[in-house]
């Protein structure tokens, strides 16, 4: 039997027996302590998660450090072959992986299958190709271990200067709960493609598909110790991982408060760190836009993945002369098309919040808006047979899933720009709308935020589109679209949305050390 054919995924998340994956072996936590997880669609207990600690982290880092000399000296072609096998296994099991992802995180099976899984396998194929073939000429410094940079004549001598990108060592990859498998793949693929080894610490809220990814890596023949997975909390496992003396670099995606702590810990220990944090993203909708397209895109940007996306457009500013029309169209289309309920139902637009704690956080912001006198609307179709009731703060009771963590698609208007509801990341199906009069006011409102991750501009005036896009202080700006990806472009934020950039050549640059080589070739 081949290595790849021996791999099998359980049919249900409740059948998982999660263990740490260290040095190619499945290991219980050293304390033998476990935590409970819960199915967000039903609120029922699901599978146990290891509550790992510093001893498990130390074992994982030791394994990664021991594997580094072997893996870093493996040829790019051999590493790429393994990455391509990983991609093949993800594709072969995409249906099962999507079902497990939905049961664990709450997102719809359809979105996990159509969006997340192809991106997961795509990252492994992209970086397998990159380390063998290289990028375009303008980025040729990443093409090979050693490339020509310049030749300089100095006093009748010729000095040849080159740059060399080498693996950094052992990396800590700490990932969030909104895209559990996708975010691991986004970090892991470039990390190991260039020859690093790593320890992955997924969030304890959604450990299922990261565990299955470890199984895939094992089945694909990744050598032991190259990628290790330690499951547990940030305090017990994440902090010891960041502080470990043998960790050379840290890549973290998650909330701003946690990111600030990680940045301080890693920076104080002179570790390279990449932080991809939160967002309070703005859509600017001008009166000369294609309003049908802007509304449809605005709904997707507000409610896709339950609004649990760092790039969700939770602030939407609309030019005053089309404001009422936009809001009315948005309301009507949402009530018609956005069905909340069972994430396994193909007709469901979005499912539950990831946890009861997070649901309470989102509901708290809705109650705050109500207390401040804003107009709060729950855009639920009254004829939806699956919705049993809507509470005063927007919590939904879904037929057959009464214990689930559901929130209605929520529209807030008449809110002040200074409100916490407008200034803080809610991370749920809540969108705030406000009118503006001039182009200058729109730019000012959009930039009035501690965050700077993403923004979108809707106008059919090309000169205005370019002018406004260039003045928005966000790491990504879309014109007449939202979250349209080119994975060779950089991704990251400004301000409280994070540091550095990843994706494509920017990922390879982050995960490698750059050396300058000078050789006197003649006299």
């Amino acid at each position: 039997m081949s290595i790849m054919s021996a791999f099998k995924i359980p049919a249900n998340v409740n059948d998982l027996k999660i263990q740490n994956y260290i040095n190619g072996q499945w290991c219980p936590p050293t304390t033998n302590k476990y935590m409970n997880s819960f199915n967000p669609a039903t609120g029922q207990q699901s599978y146990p998660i290891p509550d790992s600690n510093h001893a498990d982290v130390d074992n994982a880092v030791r394994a990664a450090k021991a594997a580094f000399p072997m893996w870093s000296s493996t040829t790019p072609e051999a590493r790429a072959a393994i990455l391509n096998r990983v991609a093949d296994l993800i594709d072969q099991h995409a249906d099962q992986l999507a079902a497990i992802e939905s049961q664990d995180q709450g997102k719809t099976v359809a979105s996990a299958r159509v969006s997340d899984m192809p991106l997961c396998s795509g990252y492994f194929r992209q970086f397998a190709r990159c380390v063998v073939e290289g990028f375009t000429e303008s980025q040729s410094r990443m093409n090979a271990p050693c490339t020509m940079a310049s030749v300089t004549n100095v006093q009748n001598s010729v000095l040849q200067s080159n740059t060399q990108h080498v693996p950094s060592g052992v990396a800590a990859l700490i990932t969030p709960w909104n895209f559990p498998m996708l975010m691991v793949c986004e970090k892991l693929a470039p990390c190991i493609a260039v020859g690093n080894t790593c320890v992955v610490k997924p969030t304890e809220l959604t450990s299922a598909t990261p565990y299955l990814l470890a199984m895939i890596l094992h089945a694909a023949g990744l050598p032991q110790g190259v990628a290790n997975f330690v499951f547990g909390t940030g305090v017990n496992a994440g902090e010891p991982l960041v502080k470990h003396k043998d960790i050379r670099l840290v890549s973290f995606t998650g909330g701003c408060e946690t990111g600030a702590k990680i940045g301080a810990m890693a920076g104080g220990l002179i570790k390279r760190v990449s932080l991809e944090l939160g967002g309070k993203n703005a859509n600017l909708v001008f009166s000369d836009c294609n309003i049908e397209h802007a509304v449809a895109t605005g709904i997707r940007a507000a409610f896709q993945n339950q609004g649990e996306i760092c790039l969700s457009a939770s602030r939407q500013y609309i030019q005053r002369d089309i404001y009422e029309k936009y809001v009315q169209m948005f309301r009507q289309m949402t009530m018609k098309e956005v069905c909340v309920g069972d994430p396994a139902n193909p007709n469901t637009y979005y499912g539950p919040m990831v946890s009861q704690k997070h649901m309470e956080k989102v509901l708290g912001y809705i109650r705050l808006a109500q207390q401040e006198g804003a107009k709060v609307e729950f855009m639920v179709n009254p004829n939806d047979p699956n919705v049993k009731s809507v509470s005063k703060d927007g919590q939904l009771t879904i037929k057959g899933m009464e214990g689930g963590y559901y929130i209605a698609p929520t529209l807030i208007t008449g809110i002040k720009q200074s409100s916490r509801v407008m200034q803080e990341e809610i991370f749920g199906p809540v969108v705030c709308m406000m009118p503006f009069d001039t182009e200058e006011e729109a730019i000012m409102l959009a930039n009035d935020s501690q965050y700077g991750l993403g923004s979108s501009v809707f106008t059919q005036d090309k000169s205005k589109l370019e002018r406004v896009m260039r003045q928005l202080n966000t790491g990504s700006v879309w014109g007449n679209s939202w979250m349209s990806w080119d994975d060779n472009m950089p991704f990251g934020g400004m301000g409280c949305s994070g540091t550095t950039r990843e994706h494509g050549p920017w990922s390879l640059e982050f995960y490698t050390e750059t050396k300058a080589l000078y050789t006197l070739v003649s006299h």
Side-chain angles (χ1 to χ4, degrees):
M1 181 181 293
S2 70
I3 293 176
M4 291 180 65
S5 65
F7 175 68
K8 185 178 181 181
I9 292 179
N12 190 286
V13 71
N14 294 337
D15 296 328
L16 290 176
K17 307 295 182 184
I18 291 186
Q19 302 284 279
N20 292 328
Y21 181 66
I22 299 174
N23 203 31
Q25 304 294 320
W26 305 104
C27 313
T30 54
T31 60
N32 207 33
K33 292 182 179 179
Y34 290 82
M35 302 173 286
N36 293 325
S37 66
F38 296 87
N39 185 328
T42 64
Q44 296 177 353
Q45 189 170 318
S46 187
Y47 60 91
I49 308 163
D51 187 5
S52 304
N53 66 10
H54 64 90
D56 303 290
V57 168
D58 194 53
N59 291 337
V61 175
R62 188 183 305 113
K65 183 178 180 181
F68 178 72
M70 172 276 301
W71 184 245
S72 60
S73 61
T74 301
T75 65
E77 291 77 11
R79 295 198 298 264
I82 294 176
L83 266 64
N84 281 321
R85 289 202 295 271
V86 172
D88 290 342
L89 279 171
I90 293 172
D91 287 342
Q92 289 171 23
H93 296 278
D95 290 340
Q96 301 100 304
L97 290 166
I100 295 290
E101 191 78 294
S102 175
Q103 294 167 33
D104 198 33
Q105 198 275 338
K107 66 177 64 194
T108 65
V109 174
S111 66
R113 179 63 185 88
V114 174
S115 178
D116 294 16
M117 296 309 141
L119 285 170
C120 288
S121 58
Y123 281 125
F124 283 97
R125 290 199 175 91
Q126 176 191 17
F127 290 105
R129 181 177 65 254
C130 288
V131 296
V132 174
E133 299 176 0
F135 288 90
T136 60
E137 184 62 28
S138 63
Q139 296 150 355
S140 62
R141 65 187 184 278
M142 303 303 301
N143 277 2
C146 197
T147 57
M148 176 67 71
S150 65
V151 175
T152 306
N153 289 310
V154 181
Q155 297 178 351
N156 299 322
S157 298
V158 177
L159 182 69
Q160 179 177 289
S161 57
N162 301 272
T163 57
Q164 181 187 17
H165 286 253
V166 298
S168 297
V170 182
L173 311 180
I174 304 175
T175 57
W177 48 256
N178 57 333
F179 291 95
M181 182 166 166
L182 177 58
M183 294 307 302
V184 177
C185 293
E186 179 186 87
K187 298 177 186 298
L188 180 65
C191 178
I192 65 174
V194 299
N196 295 313
T197 58
C198 64
V199 178
V200 181
K201 209 299 284 183
T203 171
E204 68 274 18
L205 290 178
T206 52
S207 299
T209 52
Y211 169 73
L212 295 175
L213 179 61
M215 295 177 66
I216 287 173
L217 296 169
H218 187 82
L222 187 69
Q224 63 184 33
V226 173
N228 306 272
F229 287 67
V230 175
F231 298 92
T233 66
V235 172
N236 292 341
E239 186 171 334
L241 179 60
V242 173
K243 290 182 175 179
H244 199 286
K245 63 182 179 62
D246 291 326
I247 291 294
R248 296 294 299 275
L249 67 165
V250 179
S251 179
F252 169 80
T253 297
C256 294
E257 183 178 350
T258 305
K261 292 178 181 178
I262 288 176
M265 284 189 288
L269 297 169
I270 322 298
K271 300 176 188 285
R272 185 183 303 179
V273 62
S274 173
L275 304 174
E276 195 271 283
L277 308 176
K280 191 70 176 177
N281 313 288
N283 279 10
L284 299 185
V285 183
F286 289 89
S287 58
D288 59 357
C289 71
N290 179 330
I291 192 168
E292 290 81 8
H293 172 70
V295 168
T297 306
I299 290 172
R300 185 167 61 91
F303 303 129
Q304 185 171 308
N305 207 59
Q306 304 84 242
E308 295 172 335
I309 303 178
C310 58
L311 285 164
S312 290
S314 55
R315 294 185 297 152
Q316 300 193 15
Y317 300 101
I318 302 96
Q319 200 151 27
R320 193 175 299 276
D321 50 357
I322 64 164
Y323 175 76
E324 294 296 338
K325 181 179 180 180
Y326 182 96
V327 171
Q328 180 64 12
M329 290 176 65
F330 190 99
R331 181 187 299 116
Q332 291 176 346
M333 190 177 295
T334 298
M335 293 181 70
K336 179 182 178 181
E337 298 183 2
V338 179
C339 299
V340 184
D342 181 359
N345 186 329
N347 295 320
T348 296
Y349 194 95
Y350 71 76
M353 300 292 95
V354 71
S355 69
Q356 183 170 3
K357 181 179 179 180
H358 185 62
M359 177 183 70
E360 291 298 334
K361 172 193 169 184
V362 175
L363 293 175
Y365 280 104
I366 295 174
R367 290 191 290 266
L368 176 60
Q370 292 171 329
Q371 293 165 9
E372 292 179 347
K375 182 179 180 180
V376 178
E377 301 176 66
F378 305 123
M379 298 174 289
V380 178
N381 188 334
N383 298 317
D384 188 339
N386 294 314
V387 177
K388 293 180 66 175
S389 65
V390 185
S391 72
K392 292 182 180 180
D393 55 7
Q395 184 176 354
L396 297 181
T397 302
I398 302 298
K399 184 179 180 180
M401 297 185 165
E402 287 79 3
Y405 314 133
Y406 296 94
I407 296 179
T410 302
L411 170 63
I412 299 175
T413 54
I415 191 79
K416 294 180 179 179
Q417 175 73 5
S418 60
S419 170
R420 287 176 51 215
V421 180
M422 285 290 284
Q423 293 295 327
E424 297 177 8
E425 184 178 43
I426 298 175
F427 221 61
V430 180
V431 60
C432 299
M433 293 187 184
M434 181 181 291
F436 68 86
D437 292 301
T438 65
E439 180 179 317
E440 292 75 19
E441 182 187 8
I443 295 168
M444 181 272 294
L445 289 168
N447 286 338
D448 179 26
S449 174
Q450 63 179 325
Y451 299 98
L453 192 59
S455 54
S456 293
V457 182
F458 294 86
T459 175
Q460 296 186 80
D461 183 329
K462 292 183 178 179
S463 61
K464 181 195 296 182
L465 181 65
E466 181 176 353
R467 187 169 62 245
V468 173
M469 289 177 69
R470 290 183 178 277
Q471 295 180 73
L472 295 177
N473 298 328
T474 58
S476 298
V477 186
W478 286 275
N480 295 311
S481 66
W482 172 76
M483 265 184 66
S484 304
W485 282 120
D486 177 349
D487 281 323
N488 285 318
M489 292 287 284
F491 179 68
M494 302 178 183
C496 290
S497 290
T499 63
T500 70
R501 296 294 183 268
E502 294 192 42
H503 285 193
W506 285 268
S507 285
L508 297 189
E509 189 163 317
F510 173 73
Y511 287 109
T512 56
E513 298 284 356
T514 306
K515 295 165 61 177
L517 309 179
Y518 302 98
T519 304
L520 194 63
V521 295
S522 64
H523 296 276

